Amino acid sequence: WLMTSAALVILMSIPGLALFYGGLVRTKNMLSVLMQVFVTFSLISVLWVIYGYSVAFTEGGGFFGVLDKIFLKGITVDSVAATFSKGVVVSELAYVIFQGAFAAITCGLIVGAFAERAKFAAILVFMVIWFTLSYLPMAHMVWYWAGPDAYLDAATGEAATKTAGFLFQKGALDFAGGTVVHINAAVAGLVGAIVIGKRIGYGRESMAPHSLTFTMIGASLLWFGWFGFNAGSALEASGGAALAMVNTWVATACAAMSWMLAEWMIKGKPSMLGAASGAVAGLVAITPAAGFVGVVGAIVIGLLAGVICLWGVNGLKRLIGADDSLDVFGVHGVGGMLGAILTGVFADPSLGGTGVYDYVLNKVGDYDMTAQVISQLWGVGTVIVWSGVVSLVAFKLVDMVIGLRVPEEEEREGLDITSHGESAYHY
């Protein structure tokens, strides 16, 4: 199941995310977006194997692992990784590719925020810096721990927790990446959109999506692949994985409906773009909660995500005033924060959630909603500050060395021809 899930997560990036984003830009920039997502995926996959996995998933400090497993050193066909059940392990190589696929799509998400105007070389250099200094420490902080078998009694449990990542120790729950993936990427994208500046003609010329057909196909592939993303994060083909799968299905459907209905009421017509955007908002919001909340919790999270992310791409976007081309922050940032905080509410067993498992007592522990929501806020706050600072420094560095933005005449002509010497369409 984990290997299948890894393949599904790869499908989310290429072709899912590439087509979703590609359809949203103008014809002259279609290939540039496909190229940015495709090559970012390839670049991060290579870096993951070289040093990324080691930095994120070895025992080090609270923020970074160590370099003991560079080039996957010491990982063999017999190596195993812990799951969330005592005495149950998976192949470490399967875990490597599953987590690597997460890293790759996270970096791919960022490019939508400054689509149609950034230099290709600048994007790639930025990705190397951001992946190293923002993605890897966030993945380590939230997801690295010694595994359930280290929790034999109170003393060993306490010792094991001290070796875990900073936010894991804070008790922050993130089933499949609300903080690590979505808020992390969204903050980077927003910083990029602000630093790079608005597209030429923004607010004056039409920048309508050139192919909502591709966007719908991309959104559908994202939804399909997301079952691997969320249900795969259970690391076992278990009842917990099935719960995550049902939640991912129903929350997404609810968000597609609530975005569409809200837009229908406001604008008078229900749009394909609205339904697809709502679905992605629902997927984002349920991600941190998928394995922790009950079905009713998932329905509430989905319904809220559709409406709140609709505000995120309209009202909030106007307040911020940045040209976030494909609404990365409005959907992934706002949806990720909503889902991360509501995880703390709906994980409560009294509201149908699973609670938090106590591996020392081998049963679900007593649930304190207030304490859990505070833990969730630690996660949200940490990722906003961490990604924000890393992104700002990285963009400024890249701008000084190679420049972030293409010249005005190249932007007007379109990046397909000027950056890549190709056209998506020949009429």
Side-chain angles (χ1 to χ4, degrees):
W1 170 236
L2 199 60
M3 288 192 282
T4 303
S5 294
L8 283 168
V9 178
I10 290 169
L11 180 90
M12 289 168 69
S13 303
I14 47 174
L17 183 70
L19 287 174
F20 180 74
Y21 277 176
L24 291 171
V25 297
R26 291 167 288 179
T27 310
K28 62 186 180 181
N29 294 312
M30 170 65 162
L31 275 186
S32 73
V33 171
L34 296 181
M35 183 78 170
Q36 286 165 20
V37 175
F38 196 90
V39 176
T40 294
F41 175 86
S42 306
L43 170 69
I44 300 305
S45 297
V46 175
L47 297 182
W48 183 257
V49 170
I50 295 173
Y51 65 88
Y53 177 73
S54 188
V55 171
F57 290 104
T58 54
E59 186 181 316
F63 302 95
F64 291 92
V66 290
L67 293 173
D68 290 355
K69 293 186 179 179
I70 55 168
F71 292 99
L72 306 187
K73 190 174 81 183
I75 301 177
T76 68
V77 292
D78 298 317
S79 303
V80 293
T83 61
F84 297 104
S85 302
K86 287 189 175 179
V88 179
V89 291
V90 289
S91 161
E92 189 169 7
L93 287 167
Y95 188 68
V96 167
I97 186 171
F98 181 68
Q99 285 291 355
F102 272 64
I105 192 169
T106 305
C107 294
L109 287 173
I110 300 170
V111 305
F114 41 78
E116 305 197 291
R117 58 199 188 274
K119 282 187 186 171
F120 186 61
I123 291 173
L124 296 184
V125 176
F126 168 79
M127 289 302 172
V128 174
I129 301 169
W130 187 85
F131 163 74
T132 307
L133 297 177
S134 190
Y135 185 82
L136 295 179
M138 280 310 304
H140 184 82
M141 278 187 246
V142 174
W143 285 333
Y144 179 75
W145 67 311
D149 292 329
Y151 290 72
L152 301 171
D153 52 42
T156 56
E158 198 177 320
T161 300
K162 285 197 171 115
T163 66
F166 170 70
L167 289 169
F168 189 96
Q169 293 188 45
K170 289 276 181 200
L173 298 175
D174 187 352
F175 194 75
T179 51
V180 180
V181 176
H182 297 292
I183 304 173
N184 206 2
V187 170
L190 181 62
V191 171
I194 293 167
V195 173
I196 294 170
K198 295 174 180 171
R199 287 169 288 182
I200 293 164
Y202 178 71
R204 296 190 308 278
E205 299 169 20
S206 170
M207 298 194 176
H210 90 277
S211 175
L212 285 174
T213 308
F214 277 134
T215 295
M216 183 272 169
I217 294 168
S220 306
L221 286 166
L222 281 168
W223 194 346
F224 177 66
W226 221 294
F227 290 118
F229 196 81
N230 284 359
S233 291
L235 305 180
E236 304 167 63
S238 60
L243 174 67
M245 194 162 190
V246 169
N247 285 342
T248 302
W249 169 51
V250 74
T252 307
C254 285
M257 294 297 293
S258 72
W259 185 308
M260 181 199 74
L261 289 168
E263 188 182 57
W264 199 347
M265 284 158 57
I266 296 163
K267 296 186 178 172
K269 288 191 169 75
S271 72
M272 179 68 247
L273 178 59
S277 301
V280 175
L283 288 163
V284 169
I286 199 59
T287 290
F292 297 123
V293 303
V295 174
V296 175
I299 288 170
V300 175
I301 289 171
L303 291 171
L304 286 172
V307 179
I308 291 172
C309 292
L310 173 62
W311 168 77
V313 304
N314 290 300
L316 180 64
K317 189 175 184 175
R318 275 199 294 276
L319 288 175
I320 297 171
D323 178 13
D324 177 352
S325 314
L326 310 182
D327 293 312
V328 178
F329 190 79
V331 174
H332 294 272
V334 173
M337 290 176 215
L338 176 76
I341 294 164
L342 290 182
T343 300
V345 175
F346 289 108
D348 191 331
S350 68
L351 295 176
T354 63
V356 179
Y357 198 79
D358 185 324
Y359 287 99
V360 175
L361 300 175
N362 293 318
K363 67 181 183 71
V364 175
D366 296 330
Y367 197 81
D368 181 339
M369 189 191 291
T370 309
Q372 192 57 55
V373 169
I374 291 168
S375 292
Q376 299 308 100
L377 290 169
W378 263 102
V380 170
T382 302
V383 67
I384 291 171
V385 173
W386 193 286
S387 183
V389 171
V390 169
S391 303
L392 184 61
V393 173
F395 280 120
K396 291 289 189 188
L397 273 175
V398 174
D399 199 25
M400 280 172 9
V401 179
I402 46 180
L404 285 169
R405 191 165 183 152
V406 297
E408 182 176 338
E409 60 276 14
E410 290 187 17
E411 188 179 332
R412 288 193 186 281
E413 191 178 341
L415 304 188
D416 290 5
I417 288 289
T418 57
S419 293
H420 306 290
E422 300 172 297
S423 293
Y425 307 101
H426 295 278
Y427 298 113

